[in-house]
Amino acid sequence: MDELEGVVEDIRFKSEESGFTVFDIDAGEVLITCTGTLSYISVGDNVRLKGRWKVHPVYGEQFNIEWCEVEKPSTLDAIEKYLASGMIKGIKEVTAHRIVEHFGEDTLDVLDNHPERLIEIEGIGETRARVITESYLSQKGIREVMIFLQGLGVTPGQAMRIYKTYGLETTARVKANPYDLTYKVYGIGFATADKMALNMGFASDSKERIEAGTYYCLQEAANNGDTYLPEEILLEYAARLLNTDEDRIKEAIASLTINNYLAMDNIDGVRAVYLKPFYTAENNVVKRLMELSSVEFKELNSLIDEDLEEIQENMGLAFAEEQKRAICSALGKGILILTGGPGTGKTTTLKGIISMFEKNGIKTYLAAPTGRAAKRMSEATGIEAKTIHRLLEYNGIEFKRDEEQRLECDAIIIDEASMIDIILMNNLLRAINPGTRLVIAGDVDQLPSVGAGNVLRDIIDSGLFEVVRLNQIFRQASLSNIIVNAHRINQGLYPFLDNSSSDFYFIREKEQARILELIKDVVMRRLPEAYNLSPADIQVLSPMKKGTLGTHNLNAVLQELINPPSQVKKEIKLKDRTFREGDRVMQIRNDYNKEWESIDESGMGVYNGDIGIIRSIDIESNTITVDYDGRKTIYDISDLEELALAYAITVHKSQGSEFNTVVMPMSYGAPMLMTRNLLYTAITRAKERVVLIGDEQRMYMMIKNNRIEERYSGLKWRLQRLKDYLI
């Protein structure tokens, strides 16, 4: 890491939202352009910087700051520049000159300790003096807070997030308990808080540390899909992480429970420890599901046969018996669960349900968990479908639609429900009026949600609700080897690999380096030449992130082939990644506050798994504009941790998406990843064709590995307990 010292001469750009700043310093002989998350920097500041040099394609060499130490302006010229910089309300160049001319070297001392003396300056009355003083003290407070945080080893970006949460109370709050950041500040985990605390002298066995570490263990469990952990497992995990005994962990659990951070329950004889939001969500979901399912709509039953005949005639088809049962159940039951694999007529059944609702004057809303899934639902049904967040009118802070202002409709149809986690399901059900029909559709054999919970499977396995499982593969679908092989894999059978069809290919190769070369050839030459495709029509999927055939390496390789560097394409480097105009990228975590605009509307929220294209990069402001199917979103450089290249994505991240062509390597990997339902999910993402490249035996091992991802989820148990009580 290199070091620089100098005086801030000019601030070229500053983002009020993220704190990202571009400024020039006078380092003695030349002006040097510096960049970093340093909103508190002012013209005239003496700075000592640590960071790394980078070469900007337009602006040349720049210094990218990773650490900063600031001293007050020390010369009269620097003080005047600081006051005239625009940072302090009520002071412009003329006033700044008068203040420095009057007070000289005592100027900052007057502002710090005797601001009432400002009225000695011509043109400054008591009101203006008060405005100047308040603004100066605010800027001084921000500066002191940021310097304090960086002294604890916090990066400038992290310091900005902490300051946004606590404001001028930051120093006092952090000194009292830095571990509080774990609970309160998004993006600040236990490791960061722990580093700060230990730098401040907190003992490694302090009560605050033990509690925060225990809480962190449950956060990690939630990130892995669990809504709770058995106490025995939590005790072992936390004791190992914190290097302490289990009695201290029990004390932490008790304290966190008393303070409403955790909740305890006894699930099927096991003591379960929850983060409070997941405990609340599970109980609420059970309550709401029972309310909705308790209503039956018998008054329309006499019309069903006539309506079905007319709907079939209008659609030009004949429904199978299971499809008819689903349509009738959707009309007569409070809740219907519709599940089935590709080619089994799930979309046709949903269209039949929608038609039945329309004929009976039932106002219906359609929704799905992600933007891409909602778009597919709209295209398939011809009716607008929204994301669940948009349906519930999420404003970046809360859902507008809830118990106080519920959705005004008679029926709601949700597709791709395997992707819905327990928190989202809770928010959805809170907004549904009792007496509203709810149709939940999804493929239960796909991978479960990225978020915590096993919602669709738990609801089906509870046995409490009407479930229609579509199993019949229809004639047209039976001509597709994608669909035939997907069902064979799901049944534990080996797929047909004779390459006789035009939509399913297997290329045999065992060496990983050779598999990588084949992926490059297939994406760039074979598929485009054979099917008149662009590489943009092809999505590479991988079970894993790391290794030769993991998404990290595949993205680096494919980016250089599909979207290589060019003098006409701007780019931004971030650690080990480069983002370039024209790149395909993915949002990798939910950002409910991210604003977007399209031609005819605007809104908030970009979600985990959304895929878009970088349309433009503004070098001066270090911002990127990403187009998500017409919704344009601007990212500041401090937000780029939320983006990843998407030439290759994990199968988990592909849920809810559909791609023209899917290419996937078949090689060795962790058994927990190389499973039957992962392979099934990958294949069913393709509309036109699938190309698998790799070791046939590895694929067979995946098919044999029917390890359903076991998650600690209490929803099924709660529903079944209620079922036993009702019986």
Side-chain angles (χ1 to χ4, degrees), residues 51-105:
R52 304 178 194 281
W53 292 98
K54 65 177 183 179
V55 178
H56 199 283
V58 175
Y59 297 104
E61 195 170 49
Q62 295 181 344
F63 193 71
N64 193 15
I65 300 163
E66 298 180 20
W67 178 88
C68 173
E69 183 179 81
V70 183
E71 296 178 358
K72 288 181 180 180
S74 56
T75 67
L76 293 181
D77 182 55
I79 293 171
E80 185 172 330
K81 285 182 178 179
Y82 166 59
L83 295 181
S85 66
M87 295 283 288
I88 301 171
K89 294 179 182 178
I91 299 181
K92 294 185 178 179
E93 290 184 11
V94 172
T95 307
H97 179 72
R98 287 175 179 170
I99 292 172
V100 173
E101 189 176 49
H102 184 75
F103 294 118
E105 294 179 356

Side-chain angles (χ1 to χ4, degrees), residues 60-260:
E61 195 170 49
Q62 295 181 344
F63 193 71
N64 193 15
I65 300 163
E66 298 180 20
W67 178 88
C68 173
E69 183 179 81
V70 183
E71 296 178 358
K72 288 181 180 180
S74 56
T75 67
L76 293 181
D77 182 55
I79 293 171
E80 185 172 330
K81 285 182 178 179
Y82 166 59
L83 295 181
S85 66
M87 295 283 288
I88 301 171
K89 294 179 182 178
I91 299 181
K92 294 185 178 179
E93 290 184 11
V94 172
T95 307
H97 179 72
R98 287 175 179 170
I99 292 172
V100 173
E101 189 176 49
H102 184 75
F103 294 118
E105 294 179 356
D106 295 330
T107 297
L108 296 183
D109 179 65
V110 168
L111 288 168
D112 284 333
N113 303 304
H114 307 287
E116 70 279 359
R117 291 189 59 195
L118 285 171
I119 62 174
E120 297 174 14
I121 307 300
E122 180 185 352
I124 299 180
E126 291 185 1
T127 300
R128 189 177 179 189
R130 186 162 54 252
V131 170
I132 292 171
T133 301
E134 289 175 356
S135 180
Y136 172 78
L137 292 176
S138 175
Q139 291 298 324
K140 179 185 175 186
I142 294 172
R143 181 195 304 255
E144 290 174 348
V145 165
M146 301 301 259
I147 292 171
F148 164 72
L149 291 174
Q150 287 190 104
L152 297 176
V154 176
T155 67
Q158 290 172 327
M160 193 67 187
R161 285 198 291 272
I162 296 169
Y163 178 77
K164 282 184 177 180
T165 301
Y166 295 132
L168 294 177
E169 296 181 1
T170 297
T171 301
R173 296 286 291 271
V174 171
K175 283 182 176 179
N177 181 11
Y179 292 106
D180 193 52
L181 302 173
T182 304
Y183 317 114
K184 303 288 176 59
V185 183
Y186 174 76
I188 304 295
F190 173 73
T192 300
D194 197 35
K195 178 182 177 182
M196 295 171 65
L198 296 177
N199 284 341
M200 292 170 61
F202 275 71
S204 61
D205 63 347
S206 69
K207 176 178 179 290
E208 293 84 357
R209 183 172 190 265
I210 303 299
E211 289 182 5
T214 302
Y215 186 87
Y216 165 77
C217 291
L218 289 168
Q219 285 180 314
E220 285 295 285
N223 290 337
N224 292 326
D226 300 313
T227 61
Y228 74 88
L229 281 180
E231 184 182 42
E232 183 179 346
I233 291 176
L234 176 59
L235 292 173
E236 180 184 351
Y237 181 17
R240 186 168 62 250
L241 172 73
L242 299 165
N243 193 28
T244 190
D245 59 76
E246 293 187 358
D247 286 340
R248 293 295 309 278
I249 306 301
K250 289 180 180 178
E251 292 172 4
I253 292 171
S255 176
L256 289 166
T257 303
I258 291 170
N259 288 298
N260 219 29

Side-chain angles (χ1 to χ4, degrees), residues 246-398:
E246 293 187 358
D247 286 340
R248 293 295 309 278
I249 306 301
K250 289 180 180 178
E251 292 172 4
I253 292 171
S255 176
L256 289 166
T257 303
I258 291 170
N259 288 298
N260 219 29
Y261 287 110
L262 306 184
M264 302 282 291
D265 207 341
N266 192 306
I267 294 182
D268 207 16
V270 175
R271 283 175 60 84
V273 187
Y274 283 84
L275 293 176
K276 190 61 181 287
F278 296 105
Y279 179 78
T280 302
E282 275 193 358
N283 282 290
N284 284 349
V285 166
V286 170
K287 177 185 176 184
R288 305 291 182 190
L289 287 174
M290 296 311 299
E291 284 180 350
L292 293 172
S293 66
S294 64
V295 180
E296 293 199 12
F297 306 88
K298 298 180 180 179
E299 69 275 11
L300 298 174
N301 284 357
S302 61
L303 304 174
I304 287 180
D305 291 339
E306 295 177 19
D307 290 343
L308 271 175
E309 287 298 322
E310 186 174 338
I311 291 168
Q312 290 180 115
E313 185 176 336
N314 291 339
M315 294 179 66
L317 51 78
F319 292 120
E321 288 305 312
E322 286 300 285
Q323 290 178 304
K324 290 180 180 179
R325 183 164 77 86
I327 295 169
C328 296
S329 295
L331 192 65
K333 298 287 186 181
I335 292 180
L336 167 69
I337 315 298
L338 178 66
T339 187
T344 58
K346 183 160 62 70
T347 299
T348 302
T349 306
L350 288 179
K351 291 170 73 173
I353 291 171
I354 292 167
S355 296
M356 182 65 78
F357 285 170
E358 286 178 345
K359 288 188 68 62
N360 287 279
I362 297 170
K363 182 181 178 181
T364 306
Y365 287 157
L366 276 59
T370 67
R372 295 178 76 88
K375 183 180 179 182
R376 287 177 55 200
M377 194 180 189
S378 297
E379 293 170 347
T381 62
I383 297 175
E384 182 189 19
K386 300 179 179 180
T387 63
I388 295 175
H389 283 83
R390 189 173 163 213
L391 179 70
L392 301 180
E393 298 178 33
Y394 187 76
N395 62 12
I397 300 172
E398 60 187 358

